[in-house]
Amino acid sequence: QVLLQESGPGLVKPSGTLSLTCTVSGASIRSSYWSWIRQPPGKGLEWIGRTYHSGIINYNPSLQSRVTISLDASKNQFSLKLDSVTAADTAVYYCARIQDAEYEAAFDSWGQGTLVTISS
Amino acid sequence: SSEVTQDPAVSVALGQTVRITCQGDSLRSYYASWYQQKPGQAPVLVSYGKHNRPSGIPDRFSGSSSGDTAFLTITGTQAEDEADYYCNCRDKTGDLLVFGGGTKLTVL
C-alpha cells in the first residue's frame, strides 16, 4: 500500500515562500510520476505540477512563474515551493502519485492533505 | 492548457442511475479519470482509462466516453455516493494535467 504524507508550515506570510514536502512509503519514488494538487476552501481541485526521477517536470502554466517541484530519491520525498504567495494561495495542498499510461494519467494515491493559510 | 468542464450540480433519487459528464477537446485524445471527494477527505480515484476501476471501488461506478465527452455512471445510487465528483485528463499537449470544476451529487 502506497502512503503519502505532506509536511510543512501551516501558516505563511504574504509575499513569502510556501514550502511543502511529501514523504512516500510503500513505493519507490523512482517508480512513478508524482504530483502536487491544491484545493482552496470551498472550491475545486487545481493541478500544480508533476515530476519524475529522470528530471521531467511539468507545471500548470498559471503557476509556472512561481512554482518549483523537486525530488529527492535518497529520501523518497518530493517537494513544492511556491514563491510570492498571496491570500489566493490559501488552500489544502495534496501530494499524489500518478498512474501514467499513454492515453491517461490518474492520481491513484493521495496524501491526506495539509491546509496552508497565507496571512500576516 | 485546455479545459474540461462539468455541470456544477446533479441530483438523483436513491437507487436510480445517474450520469455525470466531463467535456473538453482533449477528451477526444485522452481518457478521463474520475474522483469522489467527501467533505474533509482527500479525493479517491473511482474510474480511469477506458473502463477501469481501482480495487475496492464498487462495480456500480463505471466510466465511458464518446467524442469530446467523458461520463461517470453510477448505477443503483446509494446514499453514501453523495459527494463531489471531479474528472481529470491530460491536456492537448499530453504533458499537462487538468481538472474539471467538479459536480456536486445529491442523492434524494
Side-chain angles (χ1 to χ4, degrees):
Chain A
Q1 182 186 7
V2 181
L3 295 176
L4 297 92
Q5 179 67 59
E6 305 90 352
S7 59
L11 181 64
V12 180
K13 294 185 185 303
S15 77
T17 297
L18 180 159
S19 297
L20 296 174
T21 296
C22 182
T23 300
V24 178
S25 58
S28 169
I29 204 159
R30 298 178 186 274
S31 63
S32 301
Y33 279 89
W34 305 90
S35 197
W36 288 98
I37 298 151
R38 70 180 183 178
Q39 185 172 35
K43 296 187 178 181
L45 300 169
E46 180 180 31
W47 178 71
I48 298 172
R50 68 171 184 170
T51 186
Y52 192 65
H53 74 88
S54 65
I56 294 173
I57 303 177
N58 302 109
Y59 298 127
N60 185 326
S62 68
L63 298 169
Q64 185 160 3
S65 63
R66 299 193 290 133
V67 67
T68 303
I69 294 175
S70 59
L71 184 150
D72 186 339
S74 68
K75 296 181 180 179
N76 228 41
Q77 295 176 334
F78 62 106
S79 298
L80 169 71
K81 290 189 186 297
L82 184 64
D83 296 325
S84 304
V85 296
T86 69
D89 295 310
T90 293
V92 174
Y93 285 76
Y94 295 101
C95 58
R97 183 178 72 170
I98 302 173
Q99 181 171 296
D100 192 76
E102 185 175 4
Y103 297 110
E104 69 211 46
F107 301 101
D108 68 346
S109 298
W110 295 66
Q112 64 185 24
T114 186
L115 174 63
V116 180
T117 301
I118 309 303
S119 176
S120 55
Chain B
S1 62
S2 61
E3 293 183 349
V4 288
T5 58
Q6 299 181 239
D7 292 330
V10 172
S11 61
V12 61
L14 185 67
Q16 297 303 301
T17 296
V18 63
R19 196 166 72 168
I20 300 170
T21 62
C22 176
Q23 187 173 22
D25 283 345
S26 60
L27 292 170
R28 297 184 183 278
S29 304
Y30 300 105
Y31 294 116
S33 301
W34 290 92
Y35 307 85
Q36 177 192 70
Q37 186 181 34
K38 296 182 179 179
Q41 298 182 17
V44 173
L45 179 67
V46 296
S47 176
Y48 66 99
K50 192 172 184 180
H51 298 298
N52 299 317
R53 195 171 46 247
S55 61
I57 301 301
D59 60 5
R60 62 178 180 271
F61 291 89
S62 63
S64 61
S65 64
S66 177
D68 69 349
T69 304
F71 307 96
L72 176 69
T73 302
I74 310 174
T75 305
T77 307
Q78 303 299 302
E80 61 263 33
D81 299 333
E82 185 164 286
D84 294 327
Y85 290 86
Y86 294 90
C87 64
N88 96 279
C89 66
R90 296 179 184 274
D91 80 332
K92 282 186 173 181
T93 70
D95 291 330
L96 307 181
L97 304 177
V98 293
F99 281 100
T103 297
K104 182 176 182 61
L105 177 66
T106 300
V107 181
L108 304 172

